[in-house]
C-alpha cells in the first residue's frame, strides 16, 4: 500500500514538473508587444477661413527722413504768401521756397518741407560769378589776366578749349555763363574753393558748398534760402559794390531767357537756375526776390506768376 502511494506521489511530481517546464518555455518564447498611445488626428475643416484684408495706409513721398506733407513756414512769414505757396506746390513733392520784398523786410515767406542742402548744377555759377567779380574788385584779377587751361580743367567732349592754351578772363566768364564746364573749372582753380565759399558765407549762404570741379550731375549743394540771401545781398551791395553788383545782375539779365520759372514775368528780371533750382530778382510794381528748389519743377512758373501777381496787387 505504501509503495502504491509512493509511486503515485512520484508520478504526480513528475507530471507537475513537466507542466511547469512547458509553461516556462512558452513564456520565454512569447514576444512582448508594447502598445503606445494612439496619435490623435485633428480633423481639418475643408472650408478655408477668409482672412480679413489689411487696409494699406498710403505714405507720403519722402525725401530722406523728411515727409513732403510736413510743410513748415518760418516764423513771421506772411500768411497770405504762405497759403498761396502751399496751394501751388502741393503735398506730392519735396520743396523749398523763399520770397522776400526788397523794399520791406517784414514782407517775406520761407516755406519748405525739407531743410537740408540739395545737389545743384548750373545755379552754382552764381557763387562763382560773384567770387570772380570780388577778385576783380580787390584787384587780384584784371581784364588782362589770362588763365592757362590744364588737363584737369578739361571737360569730357569739350571742343571749345585746348589744354595748355591761355584764355582771357572775360572769355572764360562768358563761356562759364553759357554752362561750359571747362571754363568753370579753370575759374574755380584760379579763384580757389576757399575764396568762393567764403564769399558765399558772407552773402549769408551758410549751407552752401562748391565742388572742386563742375562735373557729373552736381556742382555743389545749396538751398533755396541760401540763393535768396545771395540775391538779396547783391541787391543790397553786400560783398560787391554797386559797380560790380550791377555787372553780376547784368549777366543774369542776359541768361533769364533760359530760366523757365520767369517766363511771362514782366519788368526787370535777373535770374539763374537749372532743373532743380531757380532764383530771380524782379523789379516791377514791387521789387522782390524769389528762390525755389523742388524734386519736381513743374510748378516753378506757376509759383513765380502767382508771387508776381501778389506783389503787383500789394503795390497798386
Amino acid at each position: 500500500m505504501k509503495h502504491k502511494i509512493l509511486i503515485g506521489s512520484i508520478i504526480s511530481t513528475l507530471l507537475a514538473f513537466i507542466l511547469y517546464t512547458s509553461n516556462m518555455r512558452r513564456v520565454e518564447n512569447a514576444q512582448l508587444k508594447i502598445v503606445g498611445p494612439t496619435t490623435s488626428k485633428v480633423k481639418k475643416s475643408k472650408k478655408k477661413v477668409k482672412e480679413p484684408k489689411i487696409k494699406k495706409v498710403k505714405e507720403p513721398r519722402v525725401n530722406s527722413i523728411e515727409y513732403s506733407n510736413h510743410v513748415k513756414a518760418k516764423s513771421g512769414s506772411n500768411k497770405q504768401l504762405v497759403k498761396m505757396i502751399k496751394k501751388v506746390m502741393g503735398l506730392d513733392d519735396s520743396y523749398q521756397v523763399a520770397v522776400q520784398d526788397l523794399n520791406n523786410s517784414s514782407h517775406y515767406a520761407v516755406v519748405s518741407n525739407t531743410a537740408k542742402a540739395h545737389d545743384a548744377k548750373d545755379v552754382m555759377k552764381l557763387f562763382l560769378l560773384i567770387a570772380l567779380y570780388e577778385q576783380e574788385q580787390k584787384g587780384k584779377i584784371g581784364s588782362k589776366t589770362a588763365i592757362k587751361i590744364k588737363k584737369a580743367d578739361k571737360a569730357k567732349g569739350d571742343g571749345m578749349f585746348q589744354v595748355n592754351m591761355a584764355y582771357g578772363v572775360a572769355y572764360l566768364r562768358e563761356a562759364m555763363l553759357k554752362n561750359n564746364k571747362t571754363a568753370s573749372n579753370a575759374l574755380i582753380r584760379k579763384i580757389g574753393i576757399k575764396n568762393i565759399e567764403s564769399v558765399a558765407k558772407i552773402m549769408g549762404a551758410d549751407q552752401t558748398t562748391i565742388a572742386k570741379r563742375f562735373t557729373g550731375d552736381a556742382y555743389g549743394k545749396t538751398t533755396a534760402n541760401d540763393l535768396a540771401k545771395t540775391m538779396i545781398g547783391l541787391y543790397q551791395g553786400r560783398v560787391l559794390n554797386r559797380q560790380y553788383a550791377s555787372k553780376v545782375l547784368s549777366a543774369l539779365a542776359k541768361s533769364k531767357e533760359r530760366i523757365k520759372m520767369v517766363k511771362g514775368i514782366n519788368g526787370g528780371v535777373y535770374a539763374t537756375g537749372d532743373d532743380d533750382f531757380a532764383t530771380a530778382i524782379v523789379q516791377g510794381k514791387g521789387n522782390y526776390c524769389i528762390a525755389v528748389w523742388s524734386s519736381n519743377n513743374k510748378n516753378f512758373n506757376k509759383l513765380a506768376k502767382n508771387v508776381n501777381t501778389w506783389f503787383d496787387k500789394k503795390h497798386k
Side-chain angles (χ1 to χ4, degrees):
M1 188 70 179
K2 287 181 181 180
H3 289 291
K4 288 181 179 179
I5 294 171
L6 180 60
I7 291 169
S9 177
I10 291 170
I11 292 169
S12 297
T13 302
L14 185 59
L15 289 171
F17 178 75
I18 291 168
L19 183 62
Y20 171 77
T21 303
S22 177
N23 285 333
M24 284 299 292
R25 286 176 182 170
R26 192 164 54 248
V27 170
E28 285 176 0
N29 294 330
Q31 291 182 347
L32 184 62
K33 261 190 180 178
I34 300 173
V35 181
T38 305
T39 304
S40 59
K41 292 184 180 180
V42 179
K43 191 176 181 182
K44 291 183 179 179
S45 175
K46 291 182 181 179
K47 189 176 180 182
K48 291 184 179 180
V49 179
K50 192 175 182 181
E51 294 183 0
K53 288 183 179 179
I54 299 171
K55 188 177 180 182
K56 291 183 179 180
V57 179
K58 187 179 179 182
E59 290 286 344
R61 295 179 190 176
V62 298
N63 179 37
S64 184
I65 59 171
E66 298 164 306
Y67 287 87
S68 57
N69 61 355
H70 292 176
V71 182
K72 295 180 180 179
K74 183 180 177 180
S75 177
S77 292
N78 182 280
K79 291 181 180 179
Q80 290 180 333
L81 270 175
V82 171
K83 186 178 179 181
M84 182 268 290
I85 291 167
K86 285 182 177 180
K87 185 177 179 181
V88 173
M89 299 306 290
L91 295 175
D92 291 332
D93 304 300
S94 295
Y95 68 88
Q96 299 170 350
V97 175
V99 178
Q100 175 67 59
D101 187 331
L102 296 174
N103 297 327
N104 190 331
S105 60
S106 63
H107 291 167
Y108 68 87
V110 179
V111 186
S112 68
N113 52 24
T114 169
K116 69 179 186 179
H118 294 274
D119 289 337
K121 205 169 182 180
D122 295 337
V123 76
M124 299 306 290
K125 68 190 177 188
L126 172 64
F127 300 102
L128 179 53
L129 184 62
I130 294 170
L132 175 60
Y133 277 118
E134 188 260 355
Q135 292 287 293
E136 287 192 23
Q137 184 174 272
K138 287 181 175 180
K140 293 184 177 181
I141 292 177
S143 58
K144 295 181 180 180
T145 301
I147 301 172
K148 185 181 286 188
I149 301 298
K150 292 188 176 183
K151 189 177 179 180
D153 300 329
K154 190 74 180 289
K156 188 177 180 181
D158 181 17
M160 188 174 179
F161 294 96
Q162 298 300 317
V163 174
N164 295 323
M165 284 191 67
Y167 298 85
V169 169
Y171 186 71
L172 289 168
R173 182 175 59 239
E174 290 304 311
M176 179 267 289
L177 289 169
K178 293 177 182 177
N179 304 327
N180 184 280
K181 294 178 186 178
T182 301
S184 299
N185 294 337
L187 290 171
I188 290 170
R189 178 173 52 80
K190 179 67 177 177
I191 300 166
I193 287 292
K194 287 185 178 179
N195 287 327
I196 300 170
E197 291 189 342
S198 175
V199 167
K201 296 291 185 293
I202 295 170
M203 283 291 196
D206 52 11
Q207 284 186 268
T208 298
T209 54
I210 314 291
K212 291 181 180 179
R213 292 181 73 248
F214 281 8
T215 183
D217 294 326
Y219 302 164
K221 290 179 182 287
T222 191
T223 66
N225 203 29
D226 273 10
L227 288 174
K229 288 177 181 177
T230 302
M231 295 291 271
I232 293 165
L234 271 175
Y235 186 82
Q236 294 175 343
R238 197 181 308 151
V239 175
L240 299 179
N241 60 31
R242 183 175 295 178
Q243 177 189 351
Y244 284 98
S246 295
K247 289 183 178 182
V248 175
L249 292 173
S250 178
L252 298 182
K254 291 177 183 177
S255 63
K256 71 178 182 180
E257 297 302 323
R258 297 194 294 269
I259 312 304
K260 293 179 181 178
M261 182 186 75
V262 295
K263 286 192 180 299
I265 304 297
N266 297 319
V269 179
Y270 313 91
T272 186
D274 51 43
D275 290 339
D276 304 311
F277 282 95
T279 185
I281 283 177
V282 178
Q283 292 179 310
K285 291 181 179 179
N287 300 329
Y288 64 91
C289 172
I290 179 172
V292 59
W293 169 87
S294 179
S295 55
N296 190 330
N297 63 16
K298 65 181 180 181
N299 293 320
F300 280 16
N301 187 243
K302 184 179 179 181
L303 173 70
K305 286 181 176 179
N306 282 16
V307 169
N308 191 63
T309 299
W310 189 87
F311 274 97
D312 281 352
K313 290 179 179 178
K314 194 124 184 115
H315 295 86
K316 272 187 176 180

